[in-house]
């Protein structure tokens, strides 16, 4: 019986005629039984399929779409798949970090760089500790679980925009990476002297390469086989990373050592790897004063890390939870990650670049500089930064005459301690009579709330002091009016508040208190140095404590006959 299952009738060219099987086919078919032929073909298909599957495993690309039903469900729920084993051994468990108030599920460390294009991977999966080994979590690729099979190194994380992590780190055992290691580099800006400014700047060091930060040891390790780069004879560089070089304060600042290590094996093993740069800094010193919070922390942070657009990890020494909470909106604008408490964290955090210390300029002043301000940031930029961080709506003050019956808003900053404006009520009444809508308030711990009050004002008035630092929240073009106390304080008034106001494109006015307007007249005779030669109190060897005790503890009561024209000038400036 002849089978036609695998053959097809064919006709010779020319159309009609009877079917005729080619001689070669007739001979082949006569020798092979159809049943055997079918079995052979089936076996051949199976062999081809097996070959395809074997080769496909070598080139397979993970996709959550084809994960198991259980794992796909977990991914859709933004939670890691259930595992019978912990992904991090208990001996290497990473303690939870303190997070600012309002913090969500942002992690302080990542194992893959931010912006990973792996579709559908939840944050919890991305943040798995890269130091973990032997995870048996089903459905996750090896790049996430850090498996080491047959002695092969696990895949390194992909590089991100700012931190080129790939191939920089050695494995936990310390062996050389495939590229033969990367030479560490440290450059330090130690030019702290600023002619015309009495406060020297602290040393700031910038590092790149294989960097391992051990908060517990107060040490930053730099894998640096050559041993060069500004280290002392013992291979160390010691810094106190507070952004004001004040001999009185520095002993209270945590000292951080940068150590040069000859190989990765000599450095502690990484427990967390970060795909963004690090910034190690201190919030010791005067940072419970709003002026110093800005000049010694926030502005230096902006100057050092603002260009990173949030892709930076902050590590804070002399950690104060209340301070971090107070400035959470600004810290969130500077960094997409929860800050690490450098005083309590016992992990080893690894980076490819970073800073120890903060660059700074003068107080509330930013000027172009090739090292500390290479991007030519200005106080206008910082003003926009804080307004954006706090979602402050106004970027311009009211203009007189634009709206009928509109009264410009004046915010008078009151003080409950020293340098009080004793006739504040009289000043507020006169300002209201001139056409201002007057509000009196004292700055408090709620920075966003007070910033909103300042941003709503067209004129900010206050006696010289930290409260005037709130001018950073004013809309561009608003007016700042500083009442300068007695005692030749023109340098301080200009450099601390006058010039910063101008640099932020604010309109600046000042009123200098006379001898009869200060409370010092009731405390010291007229032949005292404070009246006879007040400039002498600013000279060395007069200590700051002496100056502060005399000059900074006075109260003022302005002469309204002299002060009223200054209020009218503020109105005039709003018409310009």
């Amino acid at each position: 019986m002849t089978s036609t299952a695998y053959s097809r009738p064919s006709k010779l060219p020319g159309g009609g005629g009877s079917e005729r099987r080619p001689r070669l086919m007739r001979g082949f078919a006569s020798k092979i039984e159809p049943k055997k032929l079918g079995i052979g073909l089936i076996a051949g298909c199976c062999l081809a399929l097996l070959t395809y599957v074997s080769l496909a495993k070598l080139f397979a690309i993970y996709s959550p779409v084809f994960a198991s039903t259980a794992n796909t469900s977990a991914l859709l729920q933004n939670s890691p798949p259930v595992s019978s084993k912990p992904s991090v051994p208990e001996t290497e468990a990473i303690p939870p970090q303190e997070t600012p108030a309002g913090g969500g599920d942002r992690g302080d460390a990542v194992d893959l760089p931010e912006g990973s294009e792996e579709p559908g991977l939840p944050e919890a999966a991305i943040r798995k500790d890269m130091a973990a080994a032997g995870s048996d979590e089903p459905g996750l690729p090896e790049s996430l679980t850090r498996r080491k099979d047959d002695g092969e190194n696990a895949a390194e994380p992909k590089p991100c925009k700012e931190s080129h992590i790939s191939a920089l780190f050695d494995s936990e055992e310390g062996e050389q990476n495939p590229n033969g290691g990367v030479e560490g580099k440290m450059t330090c800006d130690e030019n702290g002297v600023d002619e015309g400014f009495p406060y020297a700047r602290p040393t700031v060091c910038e590092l790149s390469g294989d960097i391992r930060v051990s908060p517990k040891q107060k040490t930053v390790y730099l894998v640096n086989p050559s041993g060069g780069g500004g280290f002392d004879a013992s291979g160390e560089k010691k810094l106190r990373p507070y952004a004001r070089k004040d001999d009185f304060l520095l002993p209270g600042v945590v000292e951080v050592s940068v150590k040069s290590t000859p190989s990765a094996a000599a450095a502690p093993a990484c427990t967390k790897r970060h795909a963004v740069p690090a910034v190690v800094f201190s919030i010791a010193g005067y940072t419970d004063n709003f002026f110093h919070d800005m000049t010694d922390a926030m502005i230096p942070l902006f100057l050092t890390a603002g260009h990173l657009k949030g892709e930076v990890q902050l590590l804070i020494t002399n950690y104060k939870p209340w301070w971090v909470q107070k400035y959470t909106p600004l810290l969130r604008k500077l960094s997409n990650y929860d800050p690490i408490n450098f005083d309590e964290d016992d992990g080893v955090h690894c980076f490819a670049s970073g800073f120890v210390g903060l660059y700074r300029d003068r107080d509330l002043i930013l000027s172009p500089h090739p090292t500390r301000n290479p991007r030519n940031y200005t106080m206008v930029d910082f003003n926009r930064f804080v307004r954006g961080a706090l979602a402050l709506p106004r970027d311009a003050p009211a203009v007189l005459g634009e709206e009928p019956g509109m009264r410009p808003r004046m915010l008078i900053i009151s003080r409950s301690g020293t340098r009080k404006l004793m006739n504040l009520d009289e000043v507020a009444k006169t300002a209201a009579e001139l056409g201002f809508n007057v509000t009196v308030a004292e700055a408090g711990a709620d920075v966003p709330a007070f910033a909103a009050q300042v941003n709503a004002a067209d004129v900010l008035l206050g006696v010289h002091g930290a409260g005037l630092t709130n001018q950073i929240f004013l809309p561009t073009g608003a007016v700042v009016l500083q009442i300068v106390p007695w005692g030749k304080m023109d340098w301080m008034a200009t450099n601390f508040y006058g010039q910063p106001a101008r640099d932020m494109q604010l309109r600046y006015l000042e009123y200098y208190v006379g001898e009869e307007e200060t409370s010092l007249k009731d405390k010291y005779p007229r032949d005292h140095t404070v009246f006879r030669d007040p400039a002498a109190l600013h000279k060395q060897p007069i200590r700051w404590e002496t100056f502060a005790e005399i000059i900074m503890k006075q109260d003022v009561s302005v002469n309204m006959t002299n002060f009223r024209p200054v209020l009218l000038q503020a109105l005039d400036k709003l018409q310009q």
Side-chain angles (χ1 to χ4, degrees):
M1 180 178 181
T2 304
S3 171
T4 59
Y6 300 101
S7 62
R8 189 178 191 179
S10 60
K11 294 185 179 181
L12 293 174
S18 60
E19 290 182 8
R20 183 176 299 175
R21 189 186 303 274
R23 181 176 301 172
L24 181 60
M25 179 60 72
R26 287 199 307 269
F28 182 76
S30 63
K31 294 181 181 180
I32 301 177
E33 294 183 14
K35 187 174 181 180
K36 294 181 179 180
L37 179 61
I39 294 173
L41 287 173
I42 292 173
C45 289
C46 292
L47 182 61
L49 180 61
L50 181 61
T51 303
Y52 172 78
V53 171
S54 299
L55 291 174
K57 284 184 177 180
L58 297 177
F59 305 98
I61 299 176
Y62 172 77
S63 172
V65 176
F66 297 104
S68 65
T69 304
N71 290 327
T72 302
S73 175
L75 290 171
L76 292 175
Q77 295 172 11
N78 199 31
S79 60
V82 178
S83 172
S84 59
K85 290 186 179 181
S87 59
V88 183
E90 291 183 5
T91 56
E92 297 182 11
I94 310 303
Q97 304 294 338
E98 292 193 53
T99 58
D105 15 331
R106 298 178 186 219
D108 65 295
V110 293
D111 302 309
L112 291 178
E114 290 295 304
S116 173
E117 296 181 356
E118 287 282 348
L121 287 180
E123 287 186 0
I126 294 176
R127 292 177 185 151
K128 287 290 181 185
D129 186 4
M130 294 295 286
S135 173
D136 293 330
E137 294 187 330
L140 289 180
E142 292 182 1
S143 60
L144 292 180
T145 57
R146 293 275 304 169
R147 294 176 64 92
K148 290 186 178 181
D149 297 327
D150 301 324
E152 295 181 359
N153 290 334
E156 296 291 342
K158 300 175 184 177
C160 69
K161 294 179 184 176
E162 299 291 343
S163 181
H164 303 288
I165 288 253
S166 180
L168 285 180
F169 296 119
D170 292 327
S171 72
E172 288 78 5
E173 288 77 13
E175 64 265 25
Q176 291 291 321
N177 65 45
N179 293 334
V182 174
E183 180 71 20
K185 182 180 179 182
M186 180 179 74
T187 56
C188 297
D189 180 6
E190 303 190 66
N191 183 19
V193 178
D194 183 356
E195 296 298 332
F197 192 69
Y199 309 110
R201 296 182 182 87
T203 298
V204 182
C205 292
E206 187 169 351
L207 296 85
S208 62
D210 185 346
I211 303 162
R212 308 189 180 196
V213 182
S214 174
K216 188 174 183 179
Q217 298 175 325
K218 302 294 182 283
T219 302
V220 177
Y221 295 89
L222 178 65
V223 178
N224 181 27
S226 70
F231 296 94
D232 61 20
S234 63
E236 289 188 71
K237 177 77 173 179
K238 295 183 181 295
L239 302 97
R240 297 187 186 270
Y242 179 61
R244 180 180 292 270
K245 193 172 183 180
D246 187 319
D247 293 337
F248 176 74
L249 293 175
L250 288 182
V253 178
V254 170
E255 185 176 69
V256 177
S257 295
V258 182
K259 280 190 177 182
S260 173
T261 61
S263 67
C270 302
T271 60
K272 285 185 183 289
R273 298 191 176 188
H274 302 254
V276 296
V279 174
V280 180
F281 69 101
S282 170
I283 54 173
Y286 300 120
T287 51
D288 56 351
N289 173 286
F290 187 66
F291 175 81
H292 290 282
D293 288 342
M294 296 299 108
T295 61
D296 300 354
M298 284 303 169
I299 295 176
L301 261 178
F302 174 76
L303 194 59
T304 304
H307 66 285
L308 299 174
K309 308 299 182 185
E311 288 303 295
V312 59
Q313 175 65 65
L314 307 180
L315 299 96
I316 303 177
T317 73
N318 300 102
Y319 192 91
K320 304 171 185 175
W322 62 265
W323 192 94
V324 173
Q325 180 174 347
K326 181 177 181 179
Y327 293 106
T328 288
L330 300 183
L331 294 173
R332 284 291 189 207
K333 188 72 171 177
L334 285 165
S335 173
N336 297 328
Y337 312 97
D338 293 333
I340 293 173
N341 183 344
F342 196 86
D343 301 330
E344 294 185 1
D345 190 279
D346 60 0
V348 176
H349 299 264
C350 294
F351 302 88
S353 62
F355 304 85
V356 180
L358 299 175
Y359 291 110
R360 70 163 294 147
D361 204 329
R362 298 187 177 190
D363 295 329
L364 296 180
I365 291 176
L366 293 177
S367 304
H369 190 274
T371 302
R372 59 179 175 265
N373 189 10
R375 295 164 188 85
N376 296 333
Y377 284 133
T378 67
M379 285 304 293
V380 171
D381 296 317
F382 184 73
N383 177 257
R384 290 171 180 160
F385 160 76
V386 294
R387 290 205 312 251
L390 297 171
L392 301 177
R394 300 179 76 222
D395 56 9
V399 178
L400 293 184
E402 279 192 347
E403 298 180 16
M406 188 274 296
R407 293 164 61 89
R409 299 172 181 173
M410 172 181 284
L411 175 62
I412 301 178
I413 297 179
S414 63
R415 297 176 59 91
S416 58
T418 58
R419 281 162 281 142
K420 294 187 293 290
L421 181 57
M422 300 303 292
N423 60 336
L424 186 151
D425 291 341
E426 188 179 5
V427 170
K429 180 181 178 182
T430 303
E433 291 172 352
L434 293 175
F436 286 104
N437 184 351
V438 180
T439 300
V440 178
E442 183 171 4
D446 191 341
V447 173
F450 194 72
Q453 277 190 286
V454 175
N455 185 251
D458 304 303
V459 177
L460 183 68
L461 185 156
V463 180
H464 177 91
L468 284 174
T469 310
N470 287 280
Q471 64 182 283
I472 63 176
F473 304 126
L474 284 170
T476 304
V479 178
V480 176
L481 202 171
Q482 177 180 196
I483 298 175
V484 184
W486 174 261
K488 293 294 290 184
M489 292 185 62
D490 46 330
W491 186 93
M492 296 175 68
T494 299
N495 284 274
F496 291 169
Y497 301 112
Q499 189 58 48
R502 297 185 184 100
D503 289 350
M504 284 184 277
Q505 297 180 7
L506 302 172
R507 297 155 182 174
Y508 177 69
L509 293 170
E510 57 192 14
Y511 178 85
Y512 281 85
V513 166
E515 291 183 27
E516 298 300 323
E517 297 171 288
T518 172
S519 63
L520 296 176
K521 72 180 188 301
D522 302 322
K523 189 174 182 179
Y524 300 99
R526 293 306 172 97
D527 60 352
H528 190 277
T529 304
V530 71
F531 293 112
R532 181 172 42 81
D533 185 15
L537 295 175
H538 296 265
K539 299 175 182 177
Q540 297 296 331
I542 299 293
R543 293 176 57 84
W544 165 257
E545 291 82 356
T546 303
F547 172 82
E549 183 66 27
I550 298 174
I551 298 294
M552 303 302 281
K553 288 190 176 181
Q554 66 181 296
D555 296 323
V556 301
S557 180
V558 296
N559 182 310
M560 292 309 301
T561 302
N562 298 331
F563 193 66
R564 182 185 177 95
V566 181
L567 295 176
L568 288 172
Q569 289 182 51
L571 276 175
D572 290 341
K573 286 189 175 292
L574 291 176
Q575 298 182 51
Q576 296 173 2

